[in-house]
Amino acid sequence: GNRLLRNRAEASIGSAIMPRPPANQQRKGKAPYERGDCLAIRLSDGTFGAAVVLHQNNRGREKFNYVGLLDYHAAAPPEMTDFENRRWLGQAGPRTMVCLAHSHRAEKANLERVGQISLTEDDPKFTGRGPYTVTSWHGLRFDLEERHGVQQ
């Protein structure tokens, strides 16, 4: 029951929000990161932000990662303890975003997988029921820069 509904939601989230490519133009490949991956994000001024991959979707037309942003901004890349501490960015709950896989290539030079953590029951969940902020990987970096006051 719920799993089927979740899978349908995952398969359609990109097409519900983004224009649908014709059926014969389904995007190939997969979401670039796995659940629990810890990402250092190089911001435009050379400082770093951080995010945790909370979900990986490889079904349907739009492949994506569901990512939680951490309240981290420093001159050095985040360390594993920064991810393990889970200081989520956001005042009304953790700031999360759906990052579309097809946008990863253009931004991957600014993204580094620094390790992996086990997700817990307390971490944000992707339920398939929105609303979700859907963006590119560049949009994720831009959001962090805006929240940390980085001049672009």
Side-chain angles (χ1 to χ4, degrees), residues 25 35-36 38-39 42-43 47 58 75 94 113 115 150:
Q25 290 184 8
R35 284 174 43 90
C38 302
L39 305 179
R42 183 183 304 274
L43 307 181
T47 61
N58 289 318
R113 182 186 175 278
V150 172

Side-chain angles (χ1 to χ4, degrees), residues 41-49 73-75 110 141 144-145 148-152:
I41 300 147
R42 183 183 304 274
L43 307 181
S44 60
D45 66 352
T47 61
F48 291 87
H73 183 226
N110 295 311
R141 181 168 57 93
L144 278 171
E145 290 175 350
H148 291 308
V150 172
Q151 298 298 316
Q152 297 159 7

Side-chain angles (χ1 to χ4, degrees), residues 29 58 77-78 88 93-94 97 103 131:
N58 289 318
W88 299 109
M97 305 177 106
S103 67

Side-chain angles (χ1 to χ4, degrees), residues 7-149:
N7 290 344
R8 283 188 182 151
E10 290 171 356
S12 66
I13 188 169
S15 59
I17 298 167
M18 304 291 288
R20 280 179 103 150
N24 63 352
Q25 290 184 8
Q26 181 166 332
R27 296 189 189 278
K28 300 199 183 321
K30 63 179 190 165
Y33 301 105
E34 296 178 11
R35 284 174 43 90
D37 280 353
C38 302
L39 305 179
I41 300 147
R42 183 183 304 274
L43 307 181
S44 60
D45 66 352
T47 61
F48 291 87
V52 175
V53 177
L54 301 167
H55 183 79
Q56 174 188 29
N57 177 64
N58 289 318
R59 301 171 189 214
R61 287 187 170 89
E62 291 288 353
K63 294 13 173 208
F64 63 87
N65 285 121
Y66 180 58
V67 178
L69 307 183
L70 295 181
D71 188 8
Y72 179 89
H73 183 226
E79 298 182 5
M80 288 308 297
T81 54
D82 297 307
F83 296 101
E84 291 160 0
N85 290 338
R86 308 275 210 300
R87 286 187 42 222
W88 299 109
L89 188 61
Q91 294 176 341
R95 175 78 172 134
T96 59
M97 305 177 106
V98 170
C99 295
L100 301 175
H102 71 268
S103 67
H104 181 258
R105 181 175 300 192
E107 192 64 21
K108 69 180 179 181
N110 295 311
L111 302 165
E112 180 185 351
R113 182 186 175 278
V114 295
Q116 191 170 58
I117 56 174
S118 295
L119 298 179
T120 70
E121 283 299 312
D122 295 331
D123 291 325
K125 306 281 184 289
F126 181 82
T127 62
R129 293 180 291 279
Y132 292 104
T133 299
V134 178
T135 188
S136 65
W137 285 95
H138 173 78
L140 172 80
R141 181 168 57 93
F142 183 83
D143 190 78
L144 278 171
E145 290 175 350
E146 189 174 85
R147 289 172 185 275
H148 291 308

